[in-house]
Amino acid sequence: MRVDDFSKLAVRVEPMTVADLTEVLNIEHLSFPSPWSARAYEYELRYNDMAHYFVARADTSALNTNSGERVLGWLKRVLHPAPANGTPQIVGYIGYWLMAGEAHISTIAVRPEMRGRAFGELLLAFTIEDAARRGAHVATLEVRISNTPAQQLYLKYGFEKVGLRKAYYSDNNEDAFIMTTPPLGSAQYQTRFERLKSALIMRLNEVGSKQLQSQPT
Ligand SMILES: CC(C)(COP(=O)(O)OP(=O)(O)OC[C@H]1O[C@@H](n2cnc3c(N)ncnc32)[C@H](O)[C@@H]1OP(=O)(O)O)[C@@H](O)C(=O)NCCC(=O)NCCS
C-alpha cells in the first residue's frame, strides 16, 4: 500500500508523546463537547498497548489565512502560544486501537483554524496505512449522526455506514453511525487508497509550494 511517501511532506506525522498533550488538549477542547482529559490521554500513551496515536505538525506561520482568520489566529496564539522552541505547531491528531485485526479509530481532530487544508485527510490516510502495515484487516469507528464533515471524510476513504449505536454520546444522547471500511487488503480498496493518497500528496505539496512562493521576503 505504498505509492509515495508521507515523510517527504512539509507537514509531518509523528507518534504522539506525553510532551504533546498541552497542544493536543487545547485542540481537543476546541473540537469536542465532551473532551477527553489529560489522564485519559496519558493512560492511552503510557499503558494501552493496543493504542497508536499520532500528531501532524506544520509551520503554521507559513500558512496563508484570510484577514478574519489571521486576527482569530493571532488571538488564539496569544491565548495558547505555540511552543517557544521553534517546533512546528501541532495542527491535528488521530488515534486508533488495534484489536483482533480491526483498527478502531478512537479520535481525530484538526485545529479549527487549520481545517479544510487536507490535514484531517492526511491523518486518516496515514493511520489506515499504519494499521494495515500492523496487520489490520479493516478500519472502523463511531461518528455522530450530525457530524457531516467527518462522515464525508470517512466516506471518501471507503468507510460505509454499517450500523447505529443509539444514544451513544452521553452529552446529548445523540446516536452514532458505525462506519467500517471494506477489507484493507482487497485489490479494490488498495487501488482506491493509492489513488486517494497520490491526490492527497499532490494537494499537500501544491499548497506547500504556493505558501512558500507567497511568503514576504
Ligand atoms: C473531521 C475533521 C478532522 C476533518 O479535518 P479537515 O482537516 O478539516 O478535513 P480535510 O481538509 O482533510 O478534508 C478532507 C475531506 O473531508 C471532508 N470534509 C472536510 N470538511 C468538510 C466540510 N466542512 N463539509 C463537508 N465535508 C468535509 C471532505 O470529504 C474532504 O475532502 P475534499 O477536500 O476532497 O472535499 C475536522 O473537521 C475536525 O477536527 N472536526 C472536529 C472533530 C471531529 O468531529 N472529529 C471526528 C470525530 S468522529
Side-chain angles (χ1 to χ4, degrees):
M1 218 194 238
R2 298 191 75 79
V3 281
D4 206 338
D5 198 343
F6 285 135
S7 70
K8 297 193 184 81
L9 294 168
V11 48
R12 307 297 298 268
V13 182
E14 297 165 349
M16 186 189 292
T17 70
V18 172
D20 296 326
L21 286 184
T22 305
E23 278 186 275
V24 165
L25 287 166
N26 173 225
I27 300 172
E28 176 88 12
H29 281 263
L30 294 168
S31 300
F32 296 109
S34 301
W36 284 10
S37 64
R39 247 176 111 100
Y41 273 103
E42 276 178 32
Y43 175 82
E44 291 289 86
L45 297 178
R46 290 190 204 275
Y47 304 115
N48 187 351
D49 291 340
M50 296 182 299
H52 302 273
Y53 282 77
F54 300 98
V55 293
R57 286 181 206 282
D59 178 359
T60 51
S61 63
L63 293 172
N64 289 328
T65 49
N66 65 35
S67 57
E69 282 180 311
R70 267 198 294 274
V71 172
L72 200 64
W74 172 82
L75 192 63
K76 283 182 175 154
R77 278 194 296 281
V78 170
L79 294 173
H80 304 288
N85 58 8
T87 311
Q89 196 184 28
I90 293 176
V91 292
Y93 56 89
I94 192 165
Y96 76 94
W97 303 308
L98 184 57
M99 298 180 292
E102 270 194 15
H104 191 131
I105 295 174
S106 56
T107 191
I108 176 172
V110 169
R111 192 176 285 283
E113 69 272 23
M114 292 290 137
R115 289 182 191 159
R117 292 178 162 84
F119 295 143
E121 183 171 342
L122 170 64
L123 285 160
L124 184 68
F126 183 97
T127 290
I128 290 171
E129 193 172 71
D130 186 77
R133 199 162 45 230
R134 292 175 196 271
H137 303 303
V138 293
T140 188
L141 50 80
E142 285 90 14
V143 56
R144 286 178 193 262
I145 58 167
S146 66
N147 193 347
T148 309
Q151 286 168 35
Q152 288 303 316
L153 170 61
Y154 306 143
L155 288 168
K156 186 171 179 180
Y157 276 76
F159 288 74
E160 289 161 12
K161 292 173 183 166
V162 296
L164 193 72
R165 293 198 203 284
K166 295 293 284 178
Y168 184 72
Y169 297 99
S170 54
D171 58 287
N172 65 351
N173 282 333
E174 187 170 349
D175 299 344
F177 287 127
I178 304 166
M179 295 185 73
T180 303
T181 61
L184 299 177
S186 66
Q188 206 182 1
Y189 191 79
Q190 291 207 9
T191 305
R192 177 186 190 142
F193 184 87
E194 285 172 13
R195 185 172 41 78
L196 286 167
K197 184 177 170 185
S198 297
L200 171 63
I201 286 177
M202 204 180 299
R203 182 175 166 195
L204 285 164
N205 277 331
E206 268 172 21
V207 171
S209 62
K210 272 192 207 132
Q211 281 153 2
L212 288 176
Q213 282 161 23
S214 64
Q215 284 309 293
T217 49

